Amino acid sequence: PQDVLGPLIYTYQAICRERGIHFVATGFEPENNCPGVTVSTKHLQEALSNLLDNAIKYVSCRPRGQRGRPRIPRIKCTLLTNEDPDGATLYVEDNGPGIPRFDAEKVFVRGYRGDNVKSLVEGSGLGLGIAREMIEDMNGTLEILPGEGPNKMDGATIRITL
């Protein structure tokens, strides 16, 4: 996975740097011994691109009513090796407004946008549903983990398991 996703990660690091977003990626180093997984390179890259595009949009918005010192927008991608069964897990985490638990499945319905973000960021509500379909077509899973993840960043946490 790091071979397929590495170039995309480097591209998003540059985009985030230009926009003042702190972006950290771990596990994408060539020496990472992640096992090979059978995937469509194009689908995996497009799914991750959708997730990172969303993360950039939502960490860049200023929540309604926020006063005082603005938070530093942060995104973290973590690639881990699965212990059982073999494979890899990718986490995309941010410190944006997050996805409430009651919306964790609804956000995959094409065209759905949560009430907490409709007025913050423009969008069509298509990206997460498309990303999930692409991952599932590769026999993987894509799920929302509200408030969970290896880095506990207090925003959205999305886990892809391959």
Side-chain angles (χ1 to χ4, degrees):
Q2 69 268 28
D3 295 339
V4 171
L5 297 175
L8 185 69
I9 291 294
Y10 297 132
T11 299
Y12 275 94
Q13 284 175 324
I15 291 168
C16 287
R17 194 170 30 254
E18 288 175 4
R19 296 182 184 191
I21 298 168
H22 182 75
F23 184 96
V24 175
T26 58
F28 294 91
E29 302 80 15
E31 61 274 2
N32 182 359
N33 290 325
C34 236
V37 292
T38 304
V39 295
S40 161
T41 300
K42 181 180 178 187
H43 281 91
L44 184 56
Q45 289 173 338
E46 188 170 340
L48 180 58
S49 185
N50 280 347
L51 300 179
L52 291 174
D53 284 343
N54 276 355
I56 288 170
K57 282 194 288 190
Y58 289 106
V59 299
S60 299
C61 70
R62 186 177 180 110
R64 285 176 287 186
Q66 181 184 8
R67 294 203 169 106
R69 194 168 164 197
R71 63 173 164 59
I72 297 170
R74 298 180 188 280
I75 299 171
K76 183 149 188 182
C77 289
T78 307
L79 180 63
L80 302 170
T81 299
N82 295 348
E83 291 183 24
D84 185 40
D86 286 343
T89 299
L90 174 66
Y91 290 91
V92 177
E93 299 173 86
D94 65 53
N95 69 341
I99 300 170
R101 286 189 190 279
F102 60 83
D103 276 343
E105 279 303 310
K106 294 177 188 175
V107 295
F108 295 110
V109 175
R110 289 188 182 205
Y112 180 83
R113 299 191 68 229
D115 290 336
N116 69 322
V117 295
K118 282 181 183 175
S119 64
L120 292 177
V121 175
E122 290 186 27
S124 61
L126 298 175
L128 287 175
I130 291 170
R132 180 183 251 183
E133 285 178 19
M134 287 187 281
I135 296 300
E136 288 177 347
D137 285 347
M138 297 180 286
N139 295 316
T141 60
L142 188 155
E143 56 194 327
I144 307 291
L145 304 174
E148 300 174 28
N151 302 293
K152 309 238 186 302
M153 294 182 63
D154 296 326
T157 300
I158 298 174
R159 177 175 62 196
I160 296 173
T161 306
L162 302 169

